[in-house]
Amino acid sequence: MTDAPVITVDGPSGSGKGTISRLLANHLGWNFLDSGALYRLVALDALNNDIGLSDESMIADHARQIDVRFVSQNPMDEPSIMLNNEDVTADIRTESCGNAASKVAALPRVREALLQRQRDFQQSPGLIADGRDMGTTVFPEAKLKIFLTASAEERAKRRHKQLKEKGIDVSLSALVKDIAERDERDGSRETSPLKPAKEAVIVDTSIMSIDTVMDKLLSLITD
Ligand code: C5P
């Protein structure tokens, strides 16, 4: 048990929470939890092992046992993500892995299996926890809860740009459809649906630059 402070940053994909959370963690010198990467790793492991994406008990067993490491050379860069000693940094970022992640994330026993792994990131001097249910389920005692959002269209555009930079070519209209489907699945599942915690501060980033969002969040932290 640790009393290191936690700030949760939840929201739908493309709301900017990944970029902003990482910047915030670097700015404060705190640890960073990319909980979406954990769900993506569990999904990739299931796909690699031909486990059906609805085989809840098998996926939950694997979620408990897989060896996952986030290896950082430089805190400003995205870490290399290792699954059972293999570098899967690029593999987990594909749209198909994101979709598979949102399917395994709807399975309550899989969420349960990842709970302690996520809480283990709460270490001194503090933690920025990025996800969907950080403020509602994983860190209900967090000192500050932020919920970032943006319109579906703006989120699709951002995703499109990100993927293009990584050399992945997907049509914008396919992304809008994917995002809408994923929002629906993440928001309507029974266990830990995507929704702001009661006390969360909601920030709509649709027309805000990254710098403006950072200024806003830093002002919330020092309040
Ligand atoms: O954030 P990212 O797009 O990497 O997350 C992939 C998927 O994992 C999300 O669409 C969501 O279904 C799931 N997820 C979740 N709870 C979290 C983080 C991610 O259900 N805390």
Side-chain angles (χ1 to χ4, degrees):
M1 195 53 190
T2 159
D3 56 6
V6 179
I7 296 175
T8 58
V9 185
D10 288 304
S13 52
S15 57
K17 72 191 162 53
T19 309
I20 294 291
S21 304
R22 206 176 287 282
L23 283 170
L24 213 48
N26 282 325
H27 182 89
L28 298 170
W30 286 14
N31 300 295
F32 176 59
L33 165 62
D34 175 359
S35 62
L38 291 177
Y39 286 97
R40 287 171 182 266
L41 284 159
V42 170
L44 183 67
D45 171 79
L47 295 172
N48 286 349
N49 289 293
D50 285 328
I51 303 172
L53 293 181
S54 52
D55 189 341
E56 184 165 3
S57 63
M58 183 74 101
I59 299 176
D61 278 354
H62 275 235
R64 252 182 289 272
Q65 283 159 22
I66 50 176
D67 174 26
V68 169
R69 276 176 306 128
F70 294 82
V71 184
S72 286
Q73 310 293 355
N74 171 349
M76 282 308 284
D77 294 337
E78 279 194 38
S80 296
I81 300 181
M82 311 295 292
L83 171 62
N84 299 327
N85 277 329
E86 195 192 330
D87 188 337
V88 295
T89 316
D91 305 298
I92 64 160
R93 296 296 167 200
T94 62
E95 283 308 288
S96 62
C97 193
N99 275 322
S102 113
K103 288 181 188 155
V104 301
L107 306 172
R109 284 161 70 185
V110 173
R111 302 197 75 82
E112 172 65 34
L114 289 182
L115 207 48
Q116 193 53 47
R117 266 187 199 258
Q118 296 175 89
R119 290 183 175 153
D120 289 344
F121 281 77
Q122 184 179 1
Q123 283 176 25
S124 179
L127 174 68
I128 302 294
D130 160 358
R132 304 290 190 291
D133 61 340
M134 299 295 99
T136 51
T137 307
V138 183
F139 300 107
E141 309 295 333
K143 69 176 214 144
L144 174 64
K145 300 181 182 181
I146 294 160
F147 192 88
L148 288 189
T149 186
S151 69
E153 189 153 281
E154 179 58 31
R155 290 186 286 127
K157 277 191 203 149
R158 290 176 187 172
R159 198 65 161 191
H160 191 248
K161 184 162 171 272
Q162 254 176 10
L163 290 171
K164 221 169 163 187
E165 281 162 6
K166 291 185 177 159
I168 304 170
D169 192 20
V170 193
S171 82
L172 185 60
S173 57
L175 278 180
V176 174
K177 187 168 165 275
D178 260 20
I179 282 190
E181 273 173 23
R182 221 192 290 177
D183 281 357
E184 167 62 24
R185 197 158 44 226
D186 291 348
S188 62
R189 68 178 172 229
E190 274 182 25
T191 314
S192 296
L194 171 66
K195 66 164 198 257
K198 268 201 312 292
E199 58 281 53
V201 181
I202 299 179
V203 179
D204 186 331
T205 68
S206 297
I207 52 162
M208 286 168 99
S209 68
I210 291 178
D211 287 349
T212 317
V213 180
M214 272 298 280
D215 287 348
K216 165 87 188 153
L217 300 196
L218 289 172
S219 75
L220 291 171
I221 290 168
T222 48
D223 260 359

